[in-house]
Amino acid sequence: MNILHLDSAITGDASVSRKLTADIVAKLKASHPNASVTYRDLAKGVPAIDGTWVEATRGTAGDASSAHATVVATSDAYLKEVQDADVLVIGMPIYNFAIGAPLKSWIDQIARTGISFRYTEAGPEGLLTGKRAIVAYSASGTPIGSELDHASAYIRFILGFFGITDVEFVAADRLVFDRDASLARASADLEKLAA
């Protein structure tokens, strides 16, 4: 088993989602001692896509410059980690009712036509199939699945768009109101996960 462990919280050691992702990975490793783990801290910086990225990844720039090569190499590295993974463990703290910029930038980096998805006459087809995603959802006051939550449906949709349809959540979602109860619910979600 290959595990891709992604954290994206900007709050460092105080992050609940980072604790949850670590617990999820530990549970997976306990059941699969030989599993390999690739770790990436997205909060350390994921380049935002821009015009150069579009030119470089779509081959519309004519002669490729060293800047284009660097942009493609960065995007390819993120994609290879996903392609090689059997399980993605994604830390998704909620900021202002949605996913944070580091995670969104990572999604933008791996959204590559012909690699992570393609368009067919029948509609879009995800190309990153056969993978499982476990999302550690943490929020001060945004209950998962509520009308305030603009993150969980989006992450389920975009992963499905890429072909990753087995998506589960471990949620600590009302931390500011009742931290202990929120963490207890997350712990119960974690216990229910098949390792």
Side-chain angles (χ1 to χ4, degrees):
M1 173 187 289
N2 296 322
I3 301 166
L4 177 57
H5 178 178
L6 301 171
D7 278 325
S8 64
I10 59 175
T11 51
D13 291 342
S15 166
V16 169
S17 69
R18 285 178 186 270
K19 169 81 168 72
L20 293 176
T21 60
D23 290 347
I24 294 164
V25 169
K27 179 171 183 168
L28 294 171
K29 287 279 290 176
S31 295
H32 304 277
N34 295 324
S36 66
V37 179
T38 299
Y39 179 75
R40 189 173 286 273
D41 186 347
L42 303 178
K44 289 188 176 178
V46 178
I49 63 171
D50 58 12
T52 302
W53 184 91
V54 171
E55 291 174 353
T57 59
R58 296 186 183 170
T60 58
D63 293 331
S65 68
S66 62
H68 288 109
T70 300
V71 165
V72 170
T74 299
S75 181
D76 285 350
Y78 293 127
L79 268 165
K80 176 126 179 43
E81 290 173 351
V82 177
Q83 290 168 328
D84 290 347
D86 300 301
V87 180
L88 286 73
V89 177
I90 302 170
M92 188 175 75
I94 305 307
Y95 302 120
N96 302 313
F97 312 104
I99 66 171
L103 182 56
K104 179 59 167 71
S105 291
W106 176 81
I107 290 167
D108 291 342
Q109 286 284 349
I110 68 167
R112 299 262 303 274
T113 306
I115 302 174
S116 55
F117 68 94
R118 68 181 171 197
Y119 291 107
T120 70
E121 297 217 1
E125 176 186 1
L127 301 176
L128 300 174
T129 57
K131 302 176 188 308
R132 176 186 183 195
I134 305 169
V135 179
Y137 178 107
S138 66
S140 292
T142 304
I144 190 168
S146 72
E147 63 181 16
L148 301 176
D149 168 19
H150 298 282
S152 63
Y154 170 74
I155 198 76
R156 185 183 295 280
F157 166 79
I158 197 66
L159 291 172
F161 184 78
F162 297 148
I164 304 169
T165 56
D166 182 359
V167 180
E168 302 164 273
F169 292 89
V170 172
D173 58 357
R174 291 177 55 82
L175 293 163
V176 75
F177 299 110
D178 191 340
R179 185 177 183 86
D180 290 342
S182 292
L183 294 175
R185 283 192 302 274
S187 182
D189 286 349
L190 180 62
E191 287 306 310
K192 291 179 202 167
L193 287 177

